[in-house]
Structure formats: C-alpha cells, structure tokens
Amino acid sequence: MNLNDYKIWTRSTAIYPENMALEYLALGLCSEAGEVAGKVKKYIRDGGFNSEALEAEIGDVFWYLCRLVDTLGADPCEILQSNI
C-alpha cells in the first residue's frame, strides 16, 4: 500500500465532527505522539522494550497525519518531497 492509498483508506475509519476536523486531528496527532513517547519513556525506566506496541502507536500517528493531509487536500508524497 502506498501513502495515497492509505490516505484514502483512512476516510473509511474517520469519525469526528467535520466542522472541527483540523482541531480534532491535530489534538489526536499530539495524543498519539505522546503515546509513542510514553512507550520510549517506559523503556528508559524499565529496560523492557515492546516493539509491537511501539509500532502500533506509530501506526496511529500515521493515521492522524494522513487524515490531516487529506483534510488539507494535499498529497502526502508531495509533502514528503518538499521536506527533503
């Protein structure tokens, strides 16, 4: 699956108020990024590392990013290219 296909797929699982999409998605992205940070923090504290749990949280981050990109009407590949 490529990024554009994934972006389009996320539409089928998106449930939030359309009039607050940008706000909802930005807050969700921050929340999921915090969960990634929390997993890494626990690794630092406890020494145990669960890569599957971290990958799941990273997947959630991707979902929110792709929803934001789609909400803006942008192409994820173009955004990545412009960031190089």
Coordinates of all heavy atoms in Angstrom, one line a residue:
M1 N 0.8 -1.2 0.0 CA 0.0 0.0 0.0 C 0.9 1.2 0.0 O 1.9 1.3 0.7 CB -0.9 0.0 1.2 CG -1.7 1.2 1.4 SD -2.8 1.2 2.8 CE -4.1 0.1 2.3
N2 N 0.6 2.2 -0.8 CA 1.3 3.4 -0.8 C 0.6 4.5 0.0 O -0.5 4.3 0.5 CB 1.6 3.9 -2.3 CG 0.4 4.4 -3.0 OD1 -0.5 5.0 -2.4 ND2 0.3 4.0 -4.3
L3 N 1.3 5.6 0.2 CA 0.7 6.7 1.1 C -0.6 7.2 0.6 O -1.5 7.5 1.4 CB 1.7 7.8 1.3 CG 2.9 7.5 2.2 CD1 3.9 8.7 2.1 CD2 2.4 7.3 3.6
N4 N -0.7 7.4 -0.7 CA -2.0 7.9 -1.2 C -3.1 6.9 -1.0 O -4.3 7.3 -0.6 CB -1.9 8.3 -2.6 CG -1.5 9.8 -2.8 OD1 -1.9 10.6 -2.1 ND2 -0.6 10.0 -3.8
D5 N -2.9 5.7 -1.2 CA -3.9 4.6 -0.9 C -4.3 4.6 0.5 O -5.4 4.5 0.9 CB -3.4 3.3 -1.4 CG -3.2 3.1 -2.9 OD1 -3.8 3.9 -3.6 OD2 -2.5 2.2 -3.3
Y6 N -3.3 4.7 1.4 CA -3.5 4.7 2.8 C -4.3 5.9 3.2 O -5.3 5.9 4.0 CB -2.2 4.7 3.6 CG -2.5 4.6 5.1 CD1 -2.9 3.4 5.7 CD2 -2.3 5.7 5.9 CE1 -3.1 3.3 7.1 CE2 -2.5 5.6 7.3 CZ -2.9 4.4 7.9 OH -3.2 4.4 9.2
K7 N -4.0 7.1 2.7 CA -4.7 8.3 3.0 C -6.2 8.1 2.6 O -7.1 8.5 3.4 CB -4.1 9.5 2.2 CG -4.9 10.8 2.4 CD -4.4 11.9 1.4 CE -5.0 11.7 0.1 NZ -4.8 12.8 -0.8
I8 N -6.5 7.6 1.5 CA -7.8 7.4 1.0 C -8.5 6.4 1.9 O -9.7 6.5 2.3 CB -7.9 7.0 -0.5 CG1 -7.4 8.2 -1.3 CG2 -9.2 6.5 -0.9 CD1 -7.1 7.8 -2.8
W9 N -7.8 5.3 2.3 CA -8.4 4.3 3.2 C -8.8 4.9 4.5 O -9.9 4.5 5.1 CB -7.4 3.1 3.4 CG -7.9 2.2 4.4 CD1 -8.8 1.2 4.2 CD2 -7.7 2.2 5.8 NE1 -9.1 0.5 5.4 CE2 -8.4 1.2 6.4 CE3 -6.9 3.0 6.6 CZ2 -8.4 0.9 7.8 CZ3 -6.8 2.7 8.0 CH2 -7.6 1.7 8.6
T10 N -8.1 5.8 5.1 CA -8.4 6.4 6.4 C -9.8 7.1 6.4 O -10.4 7.2 7.4 CB -7.3 7.4 6.8 OG1 -7.3 8.5 5.9 CG2 -5.9 6.8 7.0
R11 N -10.2 7.5 5.2 CA -11.6 8.1 5.2 C -12.6 7.1 5.7 O -13.6 7.6 6.3 CB -11.9 8.5 3.7 CG -11.0 9.6 3.2 CD -11.3 9.8 1.7 NE -10.4 10.8 1.1 CZ -10.3 11.0 -0.1 NH1 -11.0 10.3 -1.0 NH2 -9.4 11.9 -0.6
S12 N -12.4 5.8 5.5 CA -13.4 4.8 5.8 C -13.5 4.6 7.3 O -14.5 4.0 7.8 CB -13.2 3.5 5.1 OG -12.0 2.9 5.6
T13 N -12.5 5.1 8.1 CA -12.5 4.8 9.5 C -12.5 6.2 10.3 O -12.5 6.1 11.5 CB -11.2 4.1 9.9 OG1 -10.0 4.8 9.5 CG2 -11.1 2.7 9.3
A14 N -12.7 7.3 9.6 CA -12.7 8.6 10.3 C -14.1 8.9 10.8 O -15.1 8.9 10.1 CB -12.3 9.6 9.3
I15 N -14.1 9.1 12.1 CA -15.4 9.5 12.8 C -15.0 10.7 13.7 O -14.4 10.5 14.8 CB -15.9 8.4 13.6 CG1 -16.2 7.1 12.7 CG2 -17.2 8.8 14.3 CD1 -16.6 5.9 13.5
Y16 N -15.4 11.9 13.3 CA -15.3 13.1 14.1 C -16.1 14.2 13.4 O -16.4 14.1 12.2 CB -13.8 13.5 14.2 CG -13.0 13.5 12.9 CD1 -13.1 14.6 12.0 CD2 -12.2 12.4 12.6 CE1 -12.4 14.6 10.8 CE2 -11.5 12.4 11.4 CZ -11.6 13.5 10.5 OH -10.9 13.4 9.3
P17 N -16.3 15.3 14.1 CA -17.1 16.4 13.6 C -16.4 17.0 12.4 O -15.2 17.5 12.6 CB -17.3 17.3 14.7 CG -16.9 16.6 16.0 CD -16.0 15.5 15.5
E18 N -16.9 17.1 11.2 CA -16.3 17.7 10.1 C -15.9 19.2 10.3 O -14.9 19.6 9.8 CB -17.1 17.5 8.8 CG -17.1 16.1 8.3 CD -17.8 16.1 7.0 OE1 -17.7 17.0 6.1 OE2 -18.5 15.0 6.7
N19 N -16.8 19.9 11.1 CA -16.5 21.3 11.3 C -15.4 21.6 12.3 O -15.0 22.7 12.4 CB -17.8 22.0 11.7 CG -18.3 21.5 13.1 OD1 -18.0 20.4 13.5 ND2 -18.9 22.4 13.8
M20 N -14.9 20.5 12.9 CA -13.7 20.6 13.8 C -12.6 19.7 13.4 O -11.8 19.3 14.2 CB -14.2 20.3 15.2 CG -15.3 21.2 15.8 SD -14.6 22.8 16.3 CE -13.7 22.3 17.7
A21 N -12.6 19.3 12.1 CA -11.6 18.3 11.7 C -10.2 18.7 12.0 O -9.4 17.9 12.6 CB -11.8 18.0 10.2
L22 N -9.8 19.9 11.6 CA -8.4 20.3 11.8 C -8.0 20.2 13.3 O -6.9 19.7 13.7 CB -8.2 21.7 11.3 CG -6.7 22.2 11.2 CD1 -5.9 21.3 10.2 CD2 -6.7 23.6 10.7
E23 N -8.8 20.8 14.2 CA -8.6 20.8 15.6 C -8.5 19.4 16.1 O -7.6 19.0 16.9 CB -9.6 21.6 16.3 CG -9.7 23.0 16.0 CD -10.6 23.4 14.8 OE1 -10.9 22.5 14.0 OE2 -10.9 24.6 14.7
Y24 N -9.5 18.5 15.8 CA -9.6 17.2 16.3 C -8.4 16.4 15.9 O -7.8 15.7 16.7 CB -10.9 16.5 15.7 CG -11.0 15.1 16.2 CD1 -11.7 14.8 17.4 CD2 -10.5 14.0 15.4 CE1 -11.8 13.5 17.8 CE2 -10.7 12.7 15.8 CZ -11.3 12.4 17.0 OH -11.5 11.1 17.4
L25 N -8.0 16.5 14.6 CA -6.9 15.7 14.1 C -5.5 16.2 14.7 O -4.7 15.3 15.0 CB -6.8 15.8 12.6 CG -8.0 15.1 11.9 CD1 -8.1 15.5 10.4 CD2 -8.0 13.6 12.1
A26 N -5.3 17.5 14.8 CA -4.1 18.0 15.4 C -4.0 17.5 16.9 O -2.9 17.1 17.3 CB -4.1 19.5 15.4
L27 N -5.1 17.5 17.6 CA -5.0 17.1 19.0 C -4.8 15.5 19.1 O -4.1 15.0 19.9 CB -6.3 17.4 19.7 CG -6.5 18.9 20.0 CD1 -7.9 19.2 20.5 CD2 -5.5 19.4 21.0
G28 N -5.4 14.8 18.2 CA -5.2 13.4 18.1 C -3.8 13.0 17.8 O -3.2 12.1 18.4
L29 N -3.2 13.8 16.9 CA -1.8 13.5 16.5 C -0.9 13.7 17.7 O 0.0 12.9 18.0 CB -1.4 14.4 15.3 CG 0.1 14.4 14.9 CD1 0.5 13.0 14.5 CD2 0.3 15.4 13.8
C30 N -1.2 14.8 18.4 CA -0.4 15.1 19.6 C -0.5 14.0 20.7 O 0.5 13.6 21.3 CB -0.8 16.4 20.2 SG -0.3 17.9 19.3
S31 N -1.7 13.5 20.8 CA -2.0 12.5 21.8 C -1.3 11.2 21.4 O -0.7 10.5 22.3 CB -3.5 12.2 21.8 OG -3.8 11.2 22.7
E32 N -1.4 10.8 20.2 CA -0.7 9.6 19.7 C 0.8 9.7 19.8 O 1.5 8.8 20.2 CB -1.1 9.2 18.3 CG -2.6 8.8 18.3 CD -3.0 7.6 19.1 OE1 -2.1 6.8 19.5 OE2 -4.2 7.5 19.5
A33 N 1.4 10.9 19.4 CA 2.8 11.1 19.6 C 3.2 11.0 21.0 O 4.3 10.4 21.3 CB 3.2 12.5 19.0
G34 N 2.4 11.4 21.9 CA 2.6 11.3 23.3 C 2.7 9.8 23.8 O 3.4 9.5 24.6
E35 N 1.8 9.0 23.2 CA 1.8 7.6 23.5 C 3.1 6.9 23.0 O 3.7 6.0 23.7 CB 0.6 6.9 22.9 CG -0.7 7.3 23.6 CD -1.9 6.5 23.2 OE1 -1.7 5.3 23.0 OE2 -3.0 7.1 23.1
V36 N 3.6 7.4 21.8 CA 4.9 6.9 21.4 C 6.0 7.3 22.4 O 6.8 6.4 22.8 CB 5.3 7.5 20.0 CG1 6.7 7.2 19.6 CG2 4.3 6.9 18.9
A37 N 6.0 8.5 22.8 CA 7.0 9.0 23.8 C 6.8 8.2 25.1 O 7.9 7.9 25.7 CB 6.8 10.5 24.0
G38 N 5.6 7.9 25.5 CA 5.4 7.1 26.7 C 6.0 5.8 26.7 O 6.6 5.3 27.7
K39 N 5.9 5.1 25.5 CA 6.5 3.8 25.4 C 8.0 3.8 25.5 O 8.6 3.0 26.1 CB 6.1 3.2 24.0 CG 4.6 3.0 23.8 CD 4.1 1.7 24.4 CE 2.7 1.5 24.0 NZ 1.8 1.2 25.1
V40 N 8.6 4.9 24.9 CA 10.0 5.0 24.9 C 10.5 5.4 26.4 O 11.5 4.8 26.9 CB 10.5 6.1 23.9 CG1 12.0 6.4 24.1 CG2 10.2 5.6 22.5
K41 N 9.7 6.2 27.0 CA 10.0 6.5 28.4 C 10.0 5.3 29.3 O 10.9 5.1 30.2 CB 8.9 7.5 29.0 CG 9.1 7.9 30.4 CD 7.9 8.6 31.0 CE 6.9 7.6 31.1 NZ 5.8 7.9 32.0
K42 N 9.0 4.4 29.1 CA 9.0 3.2 29.9 C 10.1 2.3 29.6 O 10.7 1.6 30.5 CB 7.6 2.4 29.7 CG 6.5 3.1 30.3 CD 5.2 2.4 30.1 CE 4.0 3.2 30.7 NZ 2.8 2.5 30.5
Y43 N 10.6 2.3 28.4 CA 11.8 1.6 28.0 C 13.0 2.1 28.8 O 13.8 1.3 29.3 CB 12.0 1.6 26.5 CG 13.4 1.2 26.1 CD1 13.8 -0.1 26.2 CD2 14.4 2.2 25.7 CE1 15.1 -0.5 25.8 CE2 15.6 1.8 25.3 CZ 16.0 0.5 25.4 OH 17.3 0.1 25.0
I44 N 13.1 3.4 28.8 CA 14.2 4.0 29.6 C 14.2 3.7 31.1 O 15.2 3.3 31.7 CB 14.2 5.6 29.4 CG1 14.6 5.9 27.9 CG2 15.2 6.2 30.4 CD1 14.3 7.4 27.6
R45 N 13.0 3.7 31.6 CA 12.8 3.4 33.0 C 12.9 2.0 33.4 O 13.6 1.6 34.3 CB 11.4 3.9 33.5 CG 11.1 3.8 35.0 CD 9.7 4.0 35.3 NE 8.8 3.0 34.7 CZ 7.6 3.2 34.5 NH1 7.0 4.3 34.8 NH2 6.8 2.2 33.9
D46 N 12.3 1.1 32.6 CA 12.2 -0.3 32.9 C 13.2 -1.2 32.2 O 13.4 -2.3 32.6 CB 10.8 -0.8 32.7 CG 9.7 -0.1 33.5 OD1 10.1 0.5 34.6 OD2 8.6 0.0 33.1
G47 N 13.7 -0.7 31.1 CA 14.6 -1.5 30.3 C 13.9 -2.5 29.3 O 14.5 -3.0 28.4
G48 N 12.7 -2.8 29.5 CA 12.0 -3.7 28.6 C 11.4 -2.9 27.4 O 10.9 -1.8 27.6
F49 N 11.5 -3.5 26.2 CA 11.1 -2.8 25.0 C 10.1 -3.7 24.3 O 10.4 -4.9 23.9 CB 12.3 -2.5 24.2 CG 11.9 -1.7 22.9 CD1 11.5 -0.3 23.1 CD2 12.0 -2.2 21.7 CE1 11.2 0.4 22.0 CE2 11.7 -1.5 20.6 CZ 11.3 -0.1 20.7
N50 N 8.9 -3.2 24.0 CA 7.9 -3.9 23.2 C 7.8 -3.2 21.9 O 7.0 -2.2 21.7 CB 6.6 -3.9 24.0 CG 5.5 -4.7 23.3 OD1 5.5 -4.9 22.1 ND2 4.5 -5.1 24.1
S51 N 8.5 -3.7 20.9 CA 8.5 -3.1 19.6 C 7.1 -3.2 18.9 O 6.7 -2.2 18.2 CB 9.5 -3.7 18.7 OG 9.3 -5.0 18.4
E52 N 6.3 -4.2 19.2 CA 5.0 -4.3 18.5 C 4.1 -3.2 19.1 O 3.3 -2.6 18.3 CB 4.4 -5.7 18.8 CG 5.0 -6.8 18.0 CD 4.4 -8.1 18.3 OE1 3.3 -8.2 18.9 OE2 5.0 -9.1 17.9
A53 N 4.1 -2.9 20.4 CA 3.3 -1.9 20.9 C 3.7 -0.5 20.4 O 2.9 0.3 20.1 CB 3.4 -1.9 22.5
L54 N 5.0 -0.3 20.3 CA 5.5 1.0 19.7 C 5.1 1.1 18.2 O 4.6 2.2 17.8 CB 7.0 1.1 19.8 CG 7.7 2.4 19.4 CD1 7.1 3.5 20.2 CD2 9.2 2.3 19.6
E55 N 5.2 0.1 17.5 CA 4.8 0.1 16.1 C 3.3 0.4 16.0 O 2.8 1.1 15.1 CB 5.1 -1.2 15.4 CG 6.5 -1.4 15.1 CD 6.9 -2.8 14.5 OE1 5.9 -3.4 14.0 OE2 8.0 -3.2 14.5
A56 N 2.5 -0.1 16.9 CA 1.0 0.1 16.9 C 0.8 1.6 17.1 O -0.1 2.2 16.4 CB 0.3 -0.7 17.9
E57 N 1.5 2.2 18.0 CA 1.3 3.7 18.3 C 1.8 4.5 17.1 O 1.2 5.5 16.7 CB 2.1 4.1 19.6 CG 1.6 3.4 20.8 CD 0.1 3.6 21.1 OE1 -0.5 4.6 20.5 OE2 -0.5 2.8 21.9
I58 N 2.9 4.1 16.5 CA 3.4 4.8 15.3 C 2.3 4.7 14.2 O 2.1 5.7 13.4 CB 4.8 4.2 14.8 CG1 5.8 4.6 15.9 CG2 5.1 4.8 13.5 CD1 7.2 3.9 15.7
G59 N 1.7 3.6 14.0 CA 0.6 3.4 13.1 C -0.5 4.4 13.3 O -1.1 5.0 12.4
D60 N -0.8 4.6 14.6 CA -1.9 5.6 14.9 C -1.4 7.0 14.6 O -2.2 7.8 14.1 CB -2.2 5.6 16.4 CG -2.9 4.3 16.9 OD1 -3.4 3.6 16.0 OD2 -2.9 4.0 18.1
V61 N -0.1 7.3 14.8 CA 0.4 8.6 14.3 C 0.3 8.8 12.8 O -0.2 9.8 12.4 CB 1.9 8.8 14.8 CG1 2.6 10.0 14.1 CG2 2.0 8.9 16.3
F62 N 0.6 7.7 12.1 CA 0.4 7.8 10.6 C -1.0 8.1 10.2 O -1.3 8.8 9.3 CB 0.8 6.5 10.0 CG 2.3 6.4 9.5 CD1 3.2 5.6 10.1 CD2 2.7 7.2 8.5 CE1 4.5 5.5 9.7 CE2 4.0 7.2 8.1 CZ 4.9 6.3 8.7
W63 N -2.0 7.4 10.9 CA -3.4 7.6 10.6 C -3.8 9.1 10.8 O -4.4 9.7 9.9 CB -4.3 6.8 11.6 CG -5.7 6.8 11.2 CD1 -6.4 5.9 10.4 CD2 -6.7 7.7 11.6 NE1 -7.7 6.3 10.2 CE2 -7.9 7.4 11.0 CE3 -6.7 8.8 12.5 CZ2 -9.1 8.1 11.2 CZ3 -7.9 9.6 12.7 CH2 -9.0 9.2 12.1
Y64 N -3.4 9.7 11.9 CA -3.7 11.1 12.1 C -3.0 12.0 11.1 O -3.6 13.0 10.6 CB -3.4 11.5 13.6 CG -4.5 11.2 14.5 CD1 -4.4 10.0 15.3 CD2 -5.6 11.9 14.6 CE1 -5.4 9.7 16.2 CE2 -6.7 11.6 15.5 CZ -6.5 10.4 16.3 OH -7.6 10.1 17.1
L65 N -1.8 11.7 10.8 CA -1.0 12.5 9.8 C -1.8 12.4 8.4 O -2.0 13.5 7.8 CB 0.4 12.0 9.6 CG 1.4 12.5 10.7 CD1 2.7 11.7 10.5 CD2 1.6 14.0 10.6
C66 N -2.1 11.2 8.0 CA -2.8 11.1 6.7 C -4.2 11.8 6.7 O -4.6 12.3 5.7 CB -2.9 9.6 6.4 SG -1.3 9.0 5.7
R67 N -4.9 11.7 7.8 CA -6.2 12.4 7.9 C -5.9 13.9 7.8 O -6.7 14.6 7.1 CB -6.9 12.1 9.2 CG -7.5 10.7 9.3 CD -8.4 10.3 8.2 NE -9.3 11.3 7.8 CZ -9.5 11.7 6.5 NH1 -8.9 11.1 5.5 NH2 -10.4 12.6 6.2
L68 N -4.9 14.4 8.4 CA -4.6 15.9 8.3 C -4.3 16.2 6.9 O -4.8 17.2 6.4 CB -3.4 16.2 9.2 CG -3.8 16.6 10.7 CD1 -2.5 16.7 11.5 CD2 -4.5 17.9 10.8
V69 N -3.5 15.4 6.3 CA -3.1 15.7 4.9 C -4.3 15.7 4.0 O -4.5 16.6 3.1 CB -2.0 14.6 4.4 CG1 -1.9 14.7 2.9 CG2 -0.7 14.8 5.1
D70 N -5.2 14.7 4.2 CA -6.4 14.6 3.4 C -7.3 15.8 3.6 O -7.9 16.4 2.7 CB -7.1 13.3 3.7 CG -8.2 12.9 2.6 OD1 -8.0 13.4 1.5 OD2 -9.1 12.2 3.0
T71 N -7.4 16.2 4.9 CA -8.3 17.4 5.2 C -7.8 18.6 4.6 O -8.6 19.5 4.1 CB -8.3 17.5 6.8 OG1 -8.9 16.4 7.4 CG2 -9.1 18.8 7.2
L72 N -6.5 18.7 4.4 CA -5.9 19.9 3.7 C -6.0 19.8 2.2 O -5.7 20.7 1.5 CB -4.4 20.1 4.1 CG -4.2 20.4 5.6 CD1 -2.7 20.4 5.9 CD2 -4.8 21.7 6.0
G73 N -6.4 18.6 1.7 CA -6.5 18.4 0.3 C -5.1 18.2 -0.4 O -4.9 18.5 -1.5
A74 N -4.1 17.8 0.4 CA -2.7 17.7 0.0 C -2.4 16.3 -0.4 O -3.1 15.3 -0.1 CB -1.8 18.2 1.1
D75 N -1.3 16.1 -1.0 CA -0.7 14.8 -1.4 C 0.4 14.5 -0.4 O 1.4 15.3 -0.3 CB -0.2 14.9 -2.8 CG 0.4 13.6 -3.3 OD1 1.3 13.1 -2.7 OD2 0.0 13.1 -4.4
P76 N 0.3 13.4 0.3 CA 1.4 13.0 1.2 C 2.8 12.9 0.6 O 3.8 13.3 1.2 CB 0.9 11.7 1.9 CG -0.1 11.2 1.0 CD -0.7 12.3 0.2
C77 N 2.8 12.4 -0.6 CA 4.1 12.2 -1.2 C 4.7 13.6 -1.6 O 6.0 13.8 -1.4 CB 4.0 11.4 -2.5 SG 3.5 9.7 -2.1
E78 N 3.9 14.5 -2.0 CA 4.4 15.9 -2.3 C 4.9 16.6 -1.0 O 5.9 17.3 -1.0 CB 3.3 16.7 -3.0 CG 3.1 16.3 -4.4 CD 2.0 17.0 -5.1 OE1 1.5 18.1 -4.5 OE2 1.5 16.6 -6.1
I79 N 4.2 16.4 0.1 CA 4.6 16.9 1.4 C 6.0 16.4 1.8 O 6.9 17.1 2.2 CB 3.6 16.7 2.5 CG1 2.3 17.5 2.2 CG2 4.2 17.0 3.9 CD1 1.2 17.2 3.2
L80 N 6.2 15.1 1.6 CA 7.5 14.4 2.0 C 8.5 15.0 1.1 O 9.7 15.3 1.5 CB 7.4 12.9 1.9 CG 6.5 12.3 2.9 CD1 6.4 10.8 2.7 CD2 6.9 12.5 4.3
Q81 N 8.2 15.1 -0.2 CA 9.2 15.5 -1.2 C 9.7 17.0 -0.9 O 10.8 17.3 -1.0 CB 8.7 15.4 -2.6 CG 9.7 15.8 -3.7 CD 10.9 14.9 -3.8 OE1 10.8 13.7 -3.7 NE2 12.1 15.5 -3.9
S82 N 8.7 17.8 -0.5 CA 9.0 19.2 -0.2 C 9.8 19.4 1.0 O 10.5 20.4 1.3 CB 7.8 20.0 -0.2 OG 7.0 19.7 1.0
N83 N 9.8 18.3 1.9 CA 10.6 18.4 3.1 C 12.0 17.9 3.0 O 12.8 18.0 3.9 CB 9.8 17.5 4.2 CG 10.3 17.8 5.6 OD1 10.5 19.0 6.0 ND2 10.6 16.8 6.3
I84 N 12.3 17.4 1.8 CA 13.7 16.9 1.6 C 14.7 18.1 1.4 O 14.4 19.0 0.7 CB 13.8 16.0 0.4 CG1 13.0 14.7 0.7 CG2 15.2 15.6 0.0 CD1 12.9 13.7 -0.4

